[in-house]
Amino acid sequence: MNATVIPPFARTYRYDAIDREFLAERIAEFRGQVARRLAGDLTEDEFKPLRLMNGLYLQLHAYMLRVAIPYGVLNAPQLRQLAMIARRWDRGFGHFTTRQNIQFNWTKLEDVPEMLEALAEVDMHAIQTSGNCIRNVTTDEYAGASPDEVVDPASMPRSCGSGRPCTRSSPGCRASSFAITGSPSDRVASLVHDIGVAAKRNAEGEVGFEIHVGGGLGRTPLIGRRLYDFVPEAEFLGRMEAILRVYNALGERDNIYKARIKILVRDLGEEFRALVDAEYDRMPQQAYRLDPEIVAAIAAHFAPPPFARLEDRPLPQDPAFAAWARASVRPHKQPGYASVTISLKPIGGIPGDASASQMEAVADLAERHSFGEIRVSHVQNLVLPHVRQEDLHALWQGLAAHGLATPNIGLISDIIACPGMDYCALATARSIPVAQRISERFADLDRQHDIGECFINISGCINACGHHHVAHIGILGVDKRGEEVYQVTLGGSATNDAAIGELIGPAFGYDDIVDAIETIIRTHIAHRAPGERFVDTYRRIGAAPFKEALYAVA
């Protein structure tokens, strides 16, 4: 297995000889399992748990390989390798997901071992993207760059992994999710994860962690409860272990729909914390305290790149560039730099999709302008975190040449959507064409800015991979007597004011859903106060005006 050529300042996890040996053995094992399945020696039921442990799903039309992007961080060689995989073994594109991973939706079973070997060449894998495990830990896409950041979360310790004994047998680790941020602004939807962690400093300047537990979407959407306001860094792993031990001991096992930590936390209420505290007191706490030298070594590995000493400078006033910069460029903690969000939501396009040539272009631009580093956001866009302000115009031109300069970040066409029934075997309705039609309806950029910040999320089934519950306008596609209909929720949020959206009324047919969104937006505009966001208008005036506009009988 070839070693990776790591960019000199890449903050991605660097494999050592043990990691590479483990992956080589795992791939060889799975190659044998694939051969047995193709030969008919394994039934699909026998093969299913084996493929899921390697990130392979069976979708409607083909297998889907879900590749882990830990903490949503890629280096340029990795992104180029993903582009190569898309071109060679898929249909020339990949789909970035709300867990900051990438999916290849047209995978042939016989090609999977080679795809896994190609991933391993650049220190990547598909383990822990499915099956009974803790899924990819999502992290703020502006980590290490945002001016409001208190602690860079990139070097935070992870509590456990796929090899941890209780992980594989835990009731809900089939889909346990963590989110970590170091900013007071929640950009990782931490309150709707099984465990959400925010690094912070106390009055003495010591690093610690605020921990929320029991959030989640799907069949039972819940906002996480604050378990601890401040856990000292030395106690962090131990407290996380105690949480998982309580869950493992008391979580539901007989009903997979209730086998989630959120159900246990909901049912136990305040007792859950008492049980975690008692478990922590019984544990050998010293075994879970990180050696300061290890913490320092990790922090050094994730040290910031060698920024030049620059001054902030005004941006060019070219109108097209200014429109893009208004939406896509964010302030940076380092003078003279900026962070750039790359929209994967072109008008009429598929949210989260990127072609092989686009991935290669982003890799090239990242090497030229962002120390070779790319981030994946949980809202299905890409980020170049460290760009010199003097390079922004050239970067914009490079992105525009590849269809990657849509200036709609945070606007109504910046839609989150799962693959829905175009791909997913679990889906009951289409998501992609609904997203495409909505973005086309609201394509006019001046109108988008007039509407203001408004997040639309679309899911094709109750599993909520499109995070529809926490959208300002959430759309859930369901099957009703063989027809696709779409339920609408309003007032949700995935940020600091996290809330589950409220169902507005009866569902709309496929042909009517875009007109319904139009009516909702017109109602917002008619009732909003100056400068008021959609979600704030809804929370101020309530559901009644929207219901009247949507369902009034002529």
Side-chain angles (χ1 to χ4, degrees):
M1 191 172 294
N2 298 328
T4 309
V5 178
I6 301 273
F9 305 111
R11 285 154 54 95
T12 48
Y13 176 73
R14 303 181 189 186
Y15 286 17
D16 57 22
I18 296 174
D19 296 319
R20 295 192 176 103
E21 181 181 1
F22 169 80
L23 270 190
E25 292 173 353
R26 181 70 168 266
I27 294 167
E29 178 185 55
F30 191 55
R31 183 183 292 277
Q33 293 164 348
V34 168
R36 291 166 62 199
R37 174 69 185 118
L38 291 171
D41 297 332
L42 288 175
T43 67
E44 174 53 34
D45 286 343
E46 292 170 330
F47 184 58
K48 181 178 179 179
L50 304 176
R51 62 173 168 79
L52 288 176
M53 287 196 299
N54 291 277
L56 190 65
Y57 286 76
L58 183 57
Q59 301 278 59
L60 280 175
H61 313 294
Y63 285 97
M64 177 268 283
L65 183 67
R66 180 181 293 152
V67 178
I69 303 176
Y71 311 106
V73 181
L74 287 165
N75 59 54
Q78 289 175 330
L79 188 55
R80 285 198 190 91
Q81 193 80 331
L82 293 175
M84 184 278 291
I85 290 170
R87 184 176 285 115
R88 181 173 176 183
W89 290 300
D90 200 88
R91 294 189 176 180
F93 65 91
H95 176 74
F96 290 96
T97 77
T98 51
R99 289 227 61 76
Q100 298 179 318
N101 291 322
I102 188 171
Q103 296 179 178
F104 296 106
N105 288 312
W106 296 97
T107 302
K108 294 180 180 178
L109 180 56
E110 57 267 29
D111 293 335
V112 175
E114 288 187 71
M115 296 172 75
L116 296 178
E117 286 186 340
L119 290 169
E121 288 176 2
V122 291
D123 290 354
M124 298 187 75
H125 61 77
I127 303 166
Q128 275 187 261
T129 62
S130 60
N132 294 333
C133 66
I134 293 172
R135 298 292 177 88
N136 191 36
V137 177
T138 53
T139 308
D140 185 357
E141 63 266 33
Y142 304 110
S146 182
D148 70 347
E149 187 172 80
V150 179
V151 179
D152 184 350
S155 60
M156 292 182 193
R158 186 171 179 174
S159 69
C160 65
S162 60
R164 180 180 178 277
C166 87
T167 302
R168 297 188 180 185
S169 62
S170 289
C173 279
R174 62 186 179 87
S176 288
S177 60
F178 290 10
I180 298 177
T181 183
S183 166
S185 300
D186 187 353
R187 290 184 286 266
V188 297
S190 66
L191 297 184
V192 289
H193 282 71
D194 293 288
I195 300 178
V197 178
K200 57 197 302 188
R201 295 184 184 273
N202 62 16
E204 290 72 40
E206 298 169 328
V207 174
F209 303 91
E210 181 178 314
I211 300 176
H212 285 79
V213 180
L217 302 178
R219 294 172 183 268
T220 309
L222 294 169
I223 301 299
R225 294 173 179 248
R226 181 183 296 175
L227 192 68
Y228 297 112
D229 182 66
F230 189 87
V231 172
E233 189 171 40
E235 296 181 14
F236 177 65
L237 290 183
R239 295 287 179 181
M240 297 290 272
E241 173 72 14
I243 292 168
L244 293 176
R245 286 188 179 195
V246 171
Y247 171 43
N248 188 48
L250 300 178
E252 174 70 51
R253 280 183 163 81
D254 295 332
N255 184 333
I256 63 171
Y257 300 116
K258 295 182 178 180
R260 299 297 298 268
I261 194 169
K262 65 184 179 182
I263 302 299
L264 183 64
V265 173
R266 181 197 66 183
D267 292 347
L268 290 177
E270 292 301 317
E271 184 185 355
F272 184 82
R273 172 166 177 171
L275 291 169
V276 172
D277 288 343
E279 182 63 32
Y280 179 76
D281 291 340
R282 284 193 294 268
M283 287 166 46
Q285 295 173 17
Q286 193 60 38
Y288 293 92
R289 291 181 181 270
L290 289 177
D291 186 323
E293 293 183 2
I294 295 177
V295 175
I298 294 172
H301 173 74
F302 289 100
F307 295 116
R309 296 178 64 87
L310 303 172
E311 299 291 333
D312 286 328
R313 55 188 296 163
L315 300 182
Q317 293 304 302
D318 170 55
F321 168 76
W324 171 80
R326 175 183 178 185
S328 304
V329 177
R330 288 179 53 89
H332 197 286
K333 64 170 60 176
Q334 189 72 19
Y337 286 84
S339 296
V340 172
T341 304
I342 302 170
S343 174
L344 297 183
K345 321 286 180 60
I347 299 302
I350 299 175
D353 273 17
S355 70
S357 61
Q358 287 177 324
M359 287 188 264
E360 289 166 341
V362 172
D364 292 344
L365 291 167
E367 286 183 330
R368 199 173 307 149
H369 300 299
S370 187
F371 300 97
E373 187 174 345
I374 307 101
R375 310 280 178 81
V376 182
S377 75
H378 83 281
V379 297
Q380 298 179 291
N381 292 316
L382 301 179
V383 171
L384 299 185
H386 313 297
V387 180
R388 290 183 184 226
Q389 293 173 4
E390 63 193 32
D391 292 343
L392 287 171
H393 193 273
L395 172 60
W396 166 68
Q397 291 176 315
L399 292 170
H402 292 86
L404 291 167
T406 305
N408 63 345
I409 301 301
L411 301 177
I412 195 169
S413 66
D414 186 9
I415 298 169
I416 292 176
C418 73
M421 208 163 62
D422 285 297
Y423 297 100
C424 182
L426 300 176
T428 53
R430 290 169 291 175
S431 299
I432 291 171
V434 174
Q436 292 172 308
R437 290 165 58 214
I438 292 172
S439 74
E440 289 167 348
R441 174 68 68 90
F442 295 95
D444 181 78
L445 187 60
D446 289 337
R447 188 182 184 203
Q448 291 191 57
H449 280 293
D450 178 58
I451 294 167
E453 182 182 276
C454 184
F455 298 115
I456 296 179
N457 297 3
I458 308 172
S459 297
C461 80
I462 197 63
N463 289 320
C465 293
H467 292 191
H468 67 276
H469 294 294
V470 289
H472 294 172
I473 303 174
I475 302 173
L476 169 63
V478 298
D479 176 83
K480 184 178 181 180
R481 294 188 291 275
E483 294 187 7
E484 296 169 276
V485 298
Y486 294 85
Q487 298 175 351
V488 175
T489 55
L490 300 180
S493 174
T495 56
N496 296 70
D497 60 347
I500 303 300
E502 301 171 301
L503 185 64
I504 195 67
F508 299 90
Y510 178 81
D511 293 333
D512 300 324
I513 183 60
V514 177
D515 288 337
I517 301 304
E518 176 78 51
T519 298
I520 290 168
I521 293 302
R522 289 183 182 276
T523 304
H524 156 61
I525 290 173
H527 290 84
R528 68 183 175 185
E532 194 171 44
R533 301 180 305 162
F534 174 88
V535 67
D536 297 324
T537 300
Y538 178 79
R539 291 175 178 178
R540 177 174 56 82
I541 68 175
F546 294 92
K547 288 185 177 182
E548 182 178 354
L550 287 167
Y551 302 110
V553 177

